[in-house]
Amino acid sequence: VGPYVLVTPNETRRKQLKQIAKKELDDLEQWKKEHKPGPITLVPQRLGGNKSEAQVRQKQQMILMQSKYQKKQKREEYVKAKKAAEEAEILKKKAIQREKAERLEAKKRQEEMQRREMLLEEQKYKTNELLNRLDVGLPKSDSCQIANPGPESTAWKRSHAYKQALGEDENRRLEEMKQKQQEKAELMKLEQKQEDETRTRALRNEQRSCVQLLFIFYFTLRVNNDFLDRLQNKTQPNNIYHPGCTG
């Protein structure tokens, strides 16, 4: 810290400032007392509406009940809307999953068909290669017939029998596939027929129930009308009879 100079306070100046501040505060208090607001005087008048307290209370109760009912209705509507939105979201997700499953199933079927076609092609290629290999040393058929067949003719017969067996196997496989498709079609047709019969039976039962209800209503109405007619016939002579009249 560097050098500094100490200045002694001026007591006279301090006293003057204190006296001036005190005088100003006293003047402020005096001004507040002089300008103090007086009492408020209002002309008495009747306040409120033209209805009694009971009517006002009843109206308040009705408004409260209506507000409760409106809140309850809004809450129910909100719950219904939320539930419908959740169900729609669930249905949307189910539809997306169903589409994915269908695409995956179609892809699997296509891959399976391609794999089978490739296997069949490979099998045919190997079979033709084997048959061509067996047919290499066989003599050509001409007008001369071989009396004693040798090993070449035996190989040719085997290759011919093998080709024929392959053709029969392929035809049998095709027939089995056609039969399976036909069975599936017949099963789907039978299920559709059963569903139609069930729907028709339900409609008939519903119509029968409606007819029975109408019959019961008509029968009850007839019984009530008969009872009222009998009651009116019993009370009618008493109603038209007047004392002092003859006839």
Side-chain angles (χ1 to χ4, degrees):
V1 180
Y4 61 92
V5 179
L6 180 64
V7 179
T8 58
N10 191 354
E11 294 293 335
T12 306
R13 181 64 178 169
R14 181 180 292 179
K15 288 181 180 178
Q16 289 178 358
L17 291 174
K18 285 184 178 180
Q19 288 176 0
I20 291 169
K22 185 178 180 183
K23 185 176 181 304
E24 289 179 354
L25 289 173
D26 292 339
D27 293 341
L28 180 62
E29 292 294 331
Q30 185 66 27
W31 184 86
K32 286 182 178 180
K33 288 180 181 179
E34 290 177 358
H35 293 82
K36 184 178 180 180
I40 298 174
T41 56
L42 294 175
V43 179
Q45 56 183 355
R46 184 177 180 181
L47 301 176
N50 54 358
K51 295 183 179 180
S52 62
E53 185 179 358
Q55 293 177 351
V56 174
R57 295 292 183 188
Q58 187 178 4
K59 186 176 179 180
Q60 288 179 352
Q61 189 175 3
M62 289 179 64
I63 292 172
L64 181 62
M65 291 174 65
Q66 289 178 358
S67 65
K68 287 182 178 179
Y69 178 74
Q70 289 176 358
K71 288 181 181 178
K72 184 179 179 182
Q73 188 176 5
K74 287 181 180 179
R75 194 181 301 111
E76 290 177 354
E77 290 177 356
Y78 173 74
V79 171
K80 288 181 180 178
K82 186 177 179 181
K83 189 175 181 181
E86 290 178 354
E87 290 179 354
E89 187 69 21
I90 291 170
L91 291 175
K92 185 178 178 181
K93 290 181 179 179
K94 285 184 178 179
I96 293 172
Q97 293 295 330
R98 191 182 299 111
E99 289 179 359
K100 288 182 179 178
E102 289 177 356
R103 287 198 297 267
L104 184 61
E105 188 68 23
K107 186 177 179 181
K108 285 183 179 180
R109 287 199 299 266
Q110 188 175 3
E111 290 177 354
E112 184 68 20
M113 290 178 65
Q114 290 178 358
R115 188 177 66 83
R116 288 183 179 179
E117 289 177 358
M118 289 175 65
L119 288 174
L120 289 173
E121 290 292 334
E122 187 177 0
Q123 187 177 5
K124 287 181 180 179
Y125 175 75
K126 289 183 177 180
T127 304
N128 292 329
E129 185 180 359
L130 178 62
L131 295 176
N132 291 330
R133 192 180 301 168
L134 292 173
D135 291 340
V136 169
L138 295 179
K140 299 296 181 179
S141 60
D142 50 6
S143 58
C144 298
Q145 296 182 356
I146 301 173
N148 295 322
E152 293 83 359
S153 61
T154 306
W156 182 82
K157 288 181 180 179
R158 289 178 182 176
S159 64
H160 183 70
Y162 184 70
K163 285 182 179 181
Q164 189 175 1
L166 286 177
E168 291 178 357
D169 191 11
E170 188 174 359
N171 293 330
R172 181 174 55 81
R173 192 180 298 110
L174 291 174
E175 289 294 332
E176 289 179 356
M177 291 177 65
K178 288 181 181 179
Q179 188 175 1
K180 287 182 180 179
Q181 293 294 332
Q182 188 175 0
E183 289 178 356
K184 288 182 180 179
E186 291 178 356
L187 184 60
M188 290 178 64
K189 189 183 295 182
L190 182 61
E191 290 178 355
Q192 185 68 27
K193 185 177 179 181
Q194 289 179 355
E195 290 179 0
D196 294 339
E197 290 179 355
T198 305
R199 194 180 299 108
T200 306
R201 194 179 300 110
L203 289 174
R204 288 179 181 174
N205 292 331
E206 187 177 358
Q207 291 177 357
R208 191 179 296 107
S209 300
C210 293
V211 171
Q212 289 177 358
L213 289 174
L214 289 173
F215 179 74
I216 292 171
F217 176 75
Y218 177 73
F219 181 73
T220 307
L221 185 64
R222 287 290 303 273
V223 170
N224 292 335
N225 289 333
D226 294 341
F227 176 74
L228 292 174
D229 291 340
R230 288 197 301 271
L231 185 62
Q232 185 177 4
N233 291 330
K234 287 180 180 180
T235 56
Q236 187 174 3
N238 295 329
N239 290 333
I240 64 173
Y241 176 75
H242 299 282
C245 298
T246 61

